Amino acid sequence: MATGAGEFEAIVLAAGAGSRFGGGKLLAPWRGGALLDGALDAAFAAPVARVIVVTGADGEAVAEAARAFARRKAQTARLHVVHADDHAQGMGASLRRGAAELPADCAGAFVLLGDMPRVPHAVLAPLAEAVRAGAPAAAPVFAGQRGHPALIGAELLPGLLALTGDAGARSILKDLGERLARVAAPDDGVLFDVDERGDLQD
């Protein structure tokens, strides 16, 4: 069971098939790189010891894209790629696979979605500060809407190992009420995700 005495880690969920997109979504061109690069950039900018990338569909191609990004940023030592064999069961399965890699003393895990390339880096440190200050979890908010990434604190991490279906971290956060720390985000990058090819024009 997590004790919270250690460092934060990041889990990047990069296992989806992108069926609405037509496949190959995370490898699609985005601002001079791959769509996945945006989520990885935020993950490495967060105050974390490691970035755990969970692959599934297009597994080896996505893994190589993550490794290539880490090489360009001189961050290969912080990258840890794992494959979710049961990724087709939904986001819960992928998040469960990533959570299985967290160390026992993990202080918390940032959960980032591979198809959200515009997460503002300015929200990352405040999320960490909120959890360090005692909140069980923290999430960014823009225009009244809760966005991503969520930071799941140590006391809630065991719950990630029991996730099923496609709910992801939502099922962990839904019962927190006012205990969930809400951090104001500077722009809508905490809400923007890519579902269809037209979204790449943003």
Side-chain angles (χ1 to χ4, degrees):
M1 181 173 291
T3 65
E7 299 180 87
F8 293 116
E9 306 240 332
I11 299 173
V12 179
L13 300 179
S19 54
R20 287 175 59 189
F21 188 86
K25 177 169 70 170
L26 298 182
L27 304 173
W30 171 266
R31 298 185 179 179
L35 177 62
L36 178 61
D37 290 357
L40 292 174
D41 198 34
F44 282 112
V48 298
R50 292 186 307 166
V51 172
I52 300 166
V53 176
V54 183
T55 67
D58 303 317
E60 192 47 50
V62 170
E64 182 48 43
R67 294 185 191 107
F69 180 87
R71 285 194 297 269
R72 291 197 301 274
K73 298 292 185 177
Q75 295 287 354
T76 54
R78 294 173 66 203
L79 177 68
H80 184 57
V81 180
V82 297
H83 184 75
D85 292 330
D86 55 354
H87 64 90
Q89 295 179 14
M91 192 183 301
S94 299
L95 186 48
R96 187 173 68 236
R97 178 68 183 91
E101 300 297 314
L102 297 173
D105 65 346
C106 185
F110 285 86
V111 179
L112 298 101
L113 306 183
D115 64 355
M116 293 189 67
R118 291 206 286 106
V119 169
H121 296 186
V123 304
L124 301 170
L127 291 172
E129 290 163 8
V131 171
R132 287 289 191 197
V141 175
F142 182 79
Q145 295 186 65
R146 195 177 79 207
H148 295 275
L151 174 54
I152 310 298
E155 70 175 86
L156 299 178
L157 291 180
L160 298 181
L161 297 173
L163 288 175
T164 58
D166 204 38
R170 286 197 306 273
S171 61
I172 300 292
L173 303 178
K174 64 181 176 60
D175 295 326
L176 292 180
E178 294 304 312
R179 297 178 66 216
L180 175 67
R182 293 165 171 81
V183 173
D187 61 57
D188 69 348
V190 300
L191 305 176
F192 174 75
D193 67 348
V194 172
D195 288 324
E196 302 173 352
R197 292 191 180 273
D199 296 332
L200 293 173
Q201 306 307 314
D202 188 275

